[in-house]
Amino acid sequence: MDVIILQRDLRLLDNPALFYGSKKGNYCVIYVYDENYWQSYGRSPRQLKFAVDCMKELNENLKKLDSEILIFKGSFEKLGIFLRKEFPSSKIHLNHCTDNLYHRKEIKKFLNKFENTSLNIYDNFGLQLQKFNRDNWSRDWNEIMSRPLLGSPSNSIFNKKLPLLSFEDFKQNLNIDDSALSGIQKGGEKLASELLNSFFEYRADGYSRKMSCPREAETACSRLSPHIAFGSISIRKIYQELNNVLFLSPYKKDLYSFKKRLHWHCHFVQKLETEPELEFRSMHPFCDELRTKEDSELIERWIKGQTGFPFLDACISYLNSNGWINFRMRAMIMSFASYNLWQPWQKTSPLLAELFTDFEPGIHISQVQMQSGVTGINLPRIYSVFKQSLDQDPTAEWTKKIIPQLENVETNLIHNAELRDLYFEQIVDPKLSAKKARDTIWAMRKNKDFKKIAREVYLKHGSRRRQQFNRASN
């Protein structure tokens, strides 16, 4: 008997746990729905809605193989107890998942209930789960990404009745307010493939340039990030199909840029996998002394998009409505919270994560720390909300569309946030706060002990694709 456990790997094809776990035919597929998990660090209803979309299509596909998704309501620890009782000699198959602290603790409790010989854990992202060696990481990743894609699971002969919910009953009883999530992307393997194909065929045209502008990025970016986060398409499939079209594509420059980001995706996930404490502690330990006090009122106005800076607020409002925004704007939003508002990233990070449908803990936490200047190996970069407004939305039309109350306001007043009674008051002086933040960060980075630890951080987490350490730590 084989038991396949689904986590964030909600697809039929190139799914190691499904493929290998189904080979003997006598298998069942279980998804663990843990309410506490969905209330833990960074998790939110919009992500759950996307996951349910993915499960719906996967369940339909599994039924064609005489199988289905069964829902276990409870923690992974309780699932372990259930499986030990129902299937004491079963083989367990699951794809590895790098997630938040709550998930890590639950998975550990689950795995501890089984002998190693009954556990089969597969890697999804080309990570080094054992024998971590950053010097070999890129070579290993390319080797894994080049392996043949796995096909469809085998038909099931399993017919035992279990005290578990069907997917249909689970979905019907799930309380998600869809009316507040109408702008969120829909999940599923079919939609992921359609996005991939349209990106290769025409949307990639100008990708490397358009990705910086929130208006253009909406269609010029691949928009595959939530599908990758919840596994409705594998990175290996994306990587191999990209290589198939790259040589003849008229958008070579753009697709090469996209290809690098596939590598970076897993590079950042590896950081959290290697050092899970990064969820709460700065990559460079000195930096945890930088911001020790929080201002809940400032944080609330920031996350609600009421900072008094129209372009920044428009970006946050757009993100809240759509569950996605382009990378540069994500960086600006986080930079403002950490540098201009000088708030602890540990407090702002999970709030921002909840807004992302594509929340991937390894990427999010790594990027949050980079935009907060606490890695020790990346140059501090303080985004100017004025400059980004002018560069990315020169006519202010996009900002006015998101914030209709500014429709008749002069463009230069919007860029300079000089709106007086027409809009929210600025919650901070952007120039003075940026200068103070810059001086504080660089004063710390000049310390010899800081540089010594920064080199250790680089050896552990730094990319070997670019020998950036000397530049980043001077």
Side-chain angles (χ1 to χ4, degrees):
M1 172 67 197
D2 294 278
V3 179
I4 300 163
I5 309 298
L6 299 177
Q7 300 186 82
R8 291 191 288 125
D9 41 19
L10 306 173
R11 64 182 177 276
L12 190 75
L13 301 176
D14 200 36
N15 187 328
L18 266 178
F19 181 80
Y20 293 112
S22 69
K23 278 202 160 188
K24 295 178 181 178
N26 189 26
Y27 68 92
C28 67
V29 182
I30 298 176
Y31 177 81
V32 183
Y33 176 68
D34 182 352
E35 289 185 352
N36 291 325
Y37 168 74
W38 286 103
Q39 294 170 7
S40 66
Y41 184 107
R43 290 297 164 202
S44 63
R46 61 189 57 198
Q47 299 156 19
L48 177 57
K49 179 181 181 297
F50 189 91
V52 170
D53 287 345
C54 296
M55 278 191 280
K56 181 177 183 294
E57 182 179 343
L58 176 55
N59 190 57
E60 291 168 355
N61 287 330
L62 285 173
K63 285 190 172 184
K64 298 173 185 176
L65 303 172
D66 299 320
S67 183
E68 64 176 324
I69 298 175
L70 299 173
I71 307 296
F72 179 87
K73 293 188 73 172
S75 66
F76 265 97
E77 182 180 20
K78 290 181 179 177
L79 174 66
I81 297 170
F82 172 80
L83 292 179
R84 286 289 299 273
K85 178 184 176 183
E86 294 286 338
F87 308 111
S89 59
S90 63
K91 294 278 187 181
I92 309 297
H93 303 262
L94 70 161
N95 294 326
H96 178 80
C97 181
T98 303
D99 213 317
N100 62 25
L101 177 64
Y102 179 84
H103 180 269
R104 289 195 300 274
K105 286 183 174 180
E106 284 298 318
I107 280 290
K108 185 175 181 180
K109 293 174 187 175
F110 173 76
L111 298 179
N112 285 342
K113 296 189 181 300
F114 301 93
E115 300 287 339
N116 285 339
T117 53
S118 66
L119 290 171
N120 297 274
I121 303 174
Y122 310 93
D123 176 33
N124 254 338
F125 286 159
L127 304 181
Q128 291 177 336
L129 302 181
Q130 298 174 348
K131 298 181 180 179
F132 171 69
N133 184 329
R134 180 55 82 175
D135 290 334
N136 298 334
W137 191 90
S138 184
R139 182 199 65 193
D140 291 349
W141 184 85
N142 280 294
E143 189 274 325
I144 292 170
M145 290 299 122
S146 298
R147 292 175 186 170
L149 297 176
L150 300 174
S152 177
S154 303
N155 282 64
S156 175
I157 59 172
F158 179 78
N159 57 11
K160 181 178 179 180
K161 183 70 176 175
L162 294 174
L164 299 175
L165 285 173
S166 68
F167 171 76
E168 290 83 1
D169 288 343
F170 164 71
K171 186 175 184 296
Q172 185 175 356
N173 296 325
L174 194 61
N175 186 22
I176 300 179
D177 184 6
D178 285 356
S179 63
L181 302 173
S182 59
I184 305 304
Q185 277 183 255
K186 289 179 169 40
E189 205 162 354
K190 181 179 179 182
L191 289 175
S193 292
E194 289 174 358
L195 281 173
L196 184 66
N197 291 334
S198 65
F199 182 66
F200 289 162
E201 288 171 9
Y202 62 92
R203 289 192 298 111
D205 185 11
Y207 163 79
S208 55
R209 172 179 52 82
K210 295 176 181 177
M211 71 169 79
S212 296
C213 170
R215 175 179 54 81
E216 292 183 302
E218 183 174 344
T219 53
C221 285
S222 76
R223 304 304 303 273
L224 287 167
S225 54
H227 293 278
I228 295 171
F230 286 95
S232 48
I233 191 168
S234 71
I235 283 193
R236 181 162 52 192
K237 176 180 171 66
I238 298 171
Y239 179 82
Q240 293 189 16
E241 293 203 10
L242 172 60
N243 284 338
N244 289 338
V245 303
L246 192 53
F247 181 72
L248 296 177
S249 174
Y251 318 124
K252 285 188 179 65
K253 176 184 175 183
D254 299 299
L255 292 181
Y256 272 118
S257 181
F258 175 70
K259 187 175 183 179
K260 286 190 291 186
R261 281 158 178 78
L262 294 179
H263 181 278
W264 291 347
H265 169 282
C266 302
H267 163 76
F268 286 121
V269 173
Q270 181 73 64
K271 293 185 181 187
L272 185 63
E273 177 64 32
T274 304
E275 191 174 353
E277 296 79 14
L278 293 179
E279 183 174 335
F280 305 105
R281 296 209 299 262
S282 296
M283 205 172 290
H284 195 300
F286 279 27
C287 296
D288 280 334
E289 302 301 318
L290 282 172
R291 307 170 179 94
T292 57
K293 295 180 181 179
E294 64 179 288
D295 186 323
S296 57
E297 183 179 348
L298 281 181
I299 292 175
E300 183 176 12
R301 288 188 60 181
W302 164 75
I303 201 64
K304 286 184 175 180
Q306 299 175 358
T307 67
F309 299 94
F311 181 68
L312 172 65
D313 290 346
C315 288
I316 296 172
S317 296
Y318 177 89
L319 170 59
N320 188 39
S321 297
N322 296 278
W324 181 91
I325 198 165
N326 59 316
F327 171 77
R328 182 179 288 265
M329 299 304 98
R330 297 183 190 212
M332 179 191 68
I333 291 169
M334 193 64 218
S335 168
F336 187 86
S338 292
Y339 289 121
N340 297 104
L341 301 184
W342 204 246
Q343 296 302 297
W345 65 266
Q346 293 91 335
K347 299 296 181 182
T348 55
S349 173
L351 298 177
L352 190 58
E354 290 172 14
L355 299 184
F356 294 129
T357 309
D358 61 8
F359 172 49
E360 175 62 65
I363 296 176
H364 176 77
I365 291 165
S366 294
Q367 289 298 326
V368 160
Q369 292 208 26
M370 285 177 65
Q371 308 311 329
S372 301
V374 299
T375 67
I377 59 174
N378 302 100
L379 286 170
R381 184 173 186 182
I382 303 175
Y383 283 79
S384 165
V385 292
F386 297 142
K387 184 177 188 302
Q388 292 304 314
S389 178
L390 192 59
D391 288 352
Q392 310 306 335
D393 188 27
T395 65
E397 290 302 313
W398 185 81
T399 301
K400 291 179 180 181
K401 179 182 177 182
I402 305 299
I403 309 176
Q405 71 191 79
L406 301 179
E407 184 178 2
N408 297 319
V409 177
E410 292 181 27
T411 300
N412 65 307
L413 296 180
I414 292 176
H415 289 317
N416 296 323
E418 296 172 343
L419 302 169
R420 297 179 183 172
D421 296 336
L422 297 174
Y423 194 59
F424 297 109
E425 182 182 356
Q426 295 181 10
I427 59 175
V428 70
D429 184 313
K431 293 182 179 179
L432 289 178
S433 59
K435 183 181 185 305
K436 183 179 179 181
R438 190 176 293 109
D439 292 345
T440 303
I441 291 282
W442 280 105
M444 174 178 282
R445 290 176 69 90
K446 290 177 182 177
N447 183 293
K448 289 184 179 179
D449 290 334
F450 181 98
K451 293 183 177 183
K452 180 181 177 182
I453 294 176
R455 177 166 287 278
E456 294 171 1
V457 172
Y458 168 75
L459 292 174
K460 188 173 188 178
H461 293 298
S463 171
R464 301 306 193 259
R465 285 194 140 194
R466 291 183 304 168
Q467 296 300 320
Q468 62 182 5
F469 174 75
N470 290 331
R471 176 174 62 84
S473 62
N474 287 336

